[in-house]
Amino acid sequence: MRFAPLVIATASAALLVPTALAAPAPVPAAAGPATPAPPAVDKPGGRYEHGVRLAFRAERGAVVRYTLDGTTPTRHSRLYVPGVPVRITQDTNVTAVAFRGGRASVPVSRGYLVRSAEKPVARVVVMSDVHIGDYAKNTGKWASFFDTIGSVFPRPDAILSNGDMINDNGDGKGPDHAVVARIFQENLRRKGMTGTQVLLSNGNHDDSLAQIRAHYPKAWFPDAGGGFYESSVGGVPLLTLNTETYNSSTEQQNWLKKRMAELTAKSPNTPVLVQGHRPASNTVMDGQQAANPKLTADLSAFPQAVFFSGHSHLNLNDDRSVHQKDFTAVNDGSMSYVEMDHGYQAVTEEGLANRFESPTSQALFVEVYKDRTEIARVNMAADKHDIYTGGKWSADWQPPYASAGTLSGRSWTVRLKGRTAQQIKDNFTYTAAHRNTTAPVFTGRRPLSAVRDAKGGTALRIAQARDDQMVHHYRVDVTDETTGAKALSSKVLAEYYYAPLPNSLDVPLPAAAPGTRYAARVTAVDAYGNASAEVSLKFRR
């Protein structure tokens, strides 16, 4: 993920308002005494109604270098000068590293959303795929998640949990909904969000509608029997669908079309928020894991609809997570673990693997204004971990999360401009006609190099290419020049779902005899298929 280049201004020391700095974090025991502690940052990440001036502090003898584009700082990154603040004037991920001698601290990342003093009509957090079952495993994790929510929206008007609150697979886990209710209620009280509405939709892992009704307050799921209902958040209409039955439920279909027609006739330039667990067909993420073609058809007459869906676990970093044609469809990510497109490989602790999951969590922060809807993409946790440890599923990584509150992409802005439905559609931004056409670029002088991996084998190191949105994957082909055989041919994920973005990937090669000569060819590809110029390297094992 890349943000647009920023204009960075600095202020003189005299203009810096002194602010108490938190003490640098303790050095991890495994890091050794010579490794500097992570630098302290004087302002927490979150939402600000003005620009932000940042100061860093490192241990004695260490210097701080930082980035503003989501990447991991190196010894060549911007040097922080004590007393000269770093000014943030638009949405930015800031990452800082302390360097001392040849050693570097672990990175510290913060996400800053910069808004004006204009007050939105409604603030809504949209999440899905919570998949809670065990109370003890989830208390610390969800305390961190609610702290992140509070850093962006201290008092959200509503939190939407858009299906799959639990992980029932027809095995009678419906009572786990009581665990979700307990965790949510405890954190709402702890954060002072007692006035925040919680509104749930039914997902395929939620057991039955009766189990949902039995374990949550009635106000959280006020359906009349079919799992669908209408609410209002700050005066903004919200329709909750039961996407498990939509295609077969004429009652639900007729209700949706009737209410959409009534609401949009009354206020044709006001958005109608719609939540439903499963994606609508032929919309977000190129239609992956979508269902309910009748829903797509029924919403097609209403460009005012902003439909939020989960289910797929597909990540929010990818700008295909927003789609506009006849209405706006938005993927809301996952709070348990995220997925990437299938058909790619990932560099893991066990080598190159057919892996499409990451133990990271994301949600949307939606602000409805009189003339637009702003949708921010926020990481609850995006630290680099493997989804498997010792061959066992390990999505329940516990806090603290160094990446909590970082941004997983630019905010999306939905505007309803026009007097007719067709005029509104003609003014849409995130359409097929506006899909990104800018290809990634390798910027370093040595984009490829051969290195030894941790197991003593040979790996091809790829210095990450740059893109205006994000590099999705690399096409990697390595040939044994002696035999002409392919040593490796793979599409390797670019690890864009971590924060900060790693600077390089070490792609392990199959074991070979010493002296084996290789020829490598690599192309960087973004989410829309735009490909960089090919880079190459010849090297010997």
Side-chain angles (χ1 to χ4, degrees):
M1 176 266 298
R2 303 280 177 215
F3 291 104
L6 301 180
V7 177
I8 306 303
T10 58
S12 68
L15 296 177
L16 176 63
V17 178
T19 306
L21 290 172
V27 179
T35 299
V41 187
D42 73 330
K43 291 183 179 62
R47 181 187 184 277
Y48 289 81
E49 292 184 352
H50 49 72
V52 182
R53 293 180 178 182
L54 297 180
F56 306 109
R57 191 178 73 191
E59 291 180 336
R60 185 185 299 274
V63 298
V64 176
R65 293 186 180 273
Y66 65 94
T67 62
L68 301 165
D69 63 356
T71 60
T72 303
T74 70
R75 289 176 179 80
H76 304 290
S77 299
R78 285 187 176 95
L79 175 67
Y80 170 68
V81 179
V84 181
V86 176
R87 293 184 61 197
I88 306 301
T89 58
Q90 59 183 356
D91 295 359
T92 307
N93 274 342
V94 177
T95 305
V97 170
F99 291 92
R100 182 170 56 210
R103 300 246 181 186
S105 74
V106 297
V108 172
S109 295
R110 300 282 186 271
Y112 297 91
L113 289 167
V114 180
R115 298 291 182 264
S116 71
E118 180 186 4
K119 302 302 180 187
V121 176
R123 292 187 175 108
V124 183
V125 181
V126 187
M127 61 176 71
S128 69
D129 299 276
V130 166
H131 288 294
I132 288 177
D134 184 278
Y135 177 81
K137 279 185 179 179
N138 283 281
T139 50
K141 181 189 228 181
W142 277 86
S144 174
F145 290 173
F146 268 86
D147 287 345
T148 298
I149 291 172
S151 73
V152 183
F153 292 167
R155 301 290 185 272
D157 295 295
I159 294 175
L160 312 186
S161 186
N162 198 5
D164 280 5
M165 279 77 72
I166 64 171
N167 196 31
D168 182 89
N169 293 288
D171 47 5
K173 292 184 179 178
D176 284 353
H177 282 295
V179 179
V180 184
R182 178 183 175 187
I183 288 174
F184 274 46
Q185 288 169 325
E186 288 176 351
N187 281 288
L188 288 167
R189 287 193 297 268
R190 181 177 66 86
K191 300 300 293 184
M193 298 178 184
T194 52
T196 297
Q197 297 183 73
V198 177
L199 298 166
L200 313 175
S201 75
N202 177 45
N204 55 298
H205 287 289
D206 283 326
D207 196 324
S208 66
L209 297 178
Q211 287 292 330
I212 298 175
R213 297 186 199 106
H215 296 292
Y216 298 103
K218 173 66 175 175
W220 291 18
F221 191 67
D223 78 315
F228 57 93
Y229 59 90
E230 182 173 347
S231 310
S232 176
V233 180
V236 178
L238 169 68
L239 305 180
T240 295
L241 304 180
N242 180 3
T243 56
E244 298 309 296
T245 63
Y246 191 87
N247 259 14
S248 59
S249 172
T250 54
E251 178 190 7
Q252 186 176 183
Q253 294 164 21
N254 291 336
W255 169 80
L256 176 65
K257 289 183 286 188
K258 179 176 182 291
R259 289 304 296 138
M260 287 297 303
E262 292 168 346
L263 290 166
T264 56
K266 181 179 179 181
S267 187
N269 295 101
T270 297
V272 179
L273 307 185
V274 185
Q275 70 163 335
H277 181 62
R278 293 180 188 256
S281 299
N282 301 313
T283 59
V284 293
M285 294 298 287
D286 293 335
Q288 295 179 69
Q289 300 191 42
N292 295 306
K294 287 188 178 180
L295 176 58
T296 301
D298 289 346
L299 288 177
S300 65
F302 306 106
Q304 298 86 354
V306 182
F307 175 62
F308 297 99
S309 65
H311 179 64
S312 69
H313 291 240
L314 288 165
N315 63 90
L316 298 178
N317 309 72
D318 196 319
D319 277 271
R320 292 176 296 165
S321 281
V322 63
H323 176 278
Q324 291 181 312
K325 182 184 177 184
D326 296 314
F327 59 96
T328 302
V330 188
N331 166 37
D332 60 39
S334 167
M335 293 293 285
S336 51
Y337 65 90
V338 304
E339 293 187 12
M340 286 61 70
D341 316 59
H342 294 205
Y344 299 88
Q345 292 189 300
V347 177
T348 75
E349 296 171 1
E350 299 174 358
L352 202 58
N354 296 321
R355 195 73 48 81
F356 53 86
E357 307 111 333
S358 173
T360 56
S361 304
Q362 302 173 321
L364 299 174
F365 287 73
V366 181
E367 296 179 272
V368 182
Y369 294 87
K370 292 180 179 179
D371 65 341
R372 69 195 186 281
T373 300
E374 299 277 354
I375 304 172
R377 301 175 266 174
V378 177
N379 294 316
M380 299 293 173
D383 295 10
K384 184 175 180 178
H385 294 297
D386 193 356
I387 197 76
Y388 289 96
T389 301
K392 294 182 179 180
W393 182 261
S394 58
D396 290 323
W397 288 95
Q398 296 298 307
Y401 304 118
S403 56
T406 52
L407 311 180
S408 50
R410 299 184 189 93
S411 294
W412 298 312
T413 301
V414 176
R415 297 183 186 273
L416 303 177
K417 297 169 61 178
R419 294 183 179 181
T420 67
Q422 190 57 54
Q423 287 174 347
I424 294 172
K425 294 177 186 182
D426 290 343
N427 286 313
F428 276 164
T429 301
Y430 308 104
T431 64
H434 292 98
R435 287 179 76 130
N436 183 287
T437 58
T438 302
V441 176
F442 285 100
T443 59
R445 290 196 292 179
R446 293 188 62 202
L448 303 179
S449 57
V451 298
R452 291 284 180 221
D453 62 23
K455 297 180 180 179
T458 301
L460 178 66
R461 175 166 292 172
I462 303 173
Q464 294 266 25
R466 300 290 184 254
D467 188 63
D468 61 326
Q469 291 183 349
M470 68 175 202
V471 177
H472 182 272
H473 67 276
Y474 295 93
R475 293 199 296 256
V476 181
D477 285 285
V478 182
T479 302
D480 182 328
E481 288 203 300
T482 302
T483 65
K486 280 287 179 70
L488 178 67
S489 182
S490 178
K491 295 187 291 186
V492 182
L493 290 166
E495 298 190 344
Y496 55 85
Y497 33 87
Y498 296 133
L501 179 74
N503 288 314
S504 61
L505 299 176
D506 287 353
V507 181
L509 300 180
T516 302
R517 297 193 306 274
Y518 291 111
R521 296 179 292 112
V522 176
T523 304
V525 186
D526 70 11
Y528 295 98
N530 302 306
S532 72
E534 183 181 274
V535 294
S536 61
L537 175 73
K538 292 189 176 184
F539 60 99
R540 188 185 299 269
R541 163 74 166 86

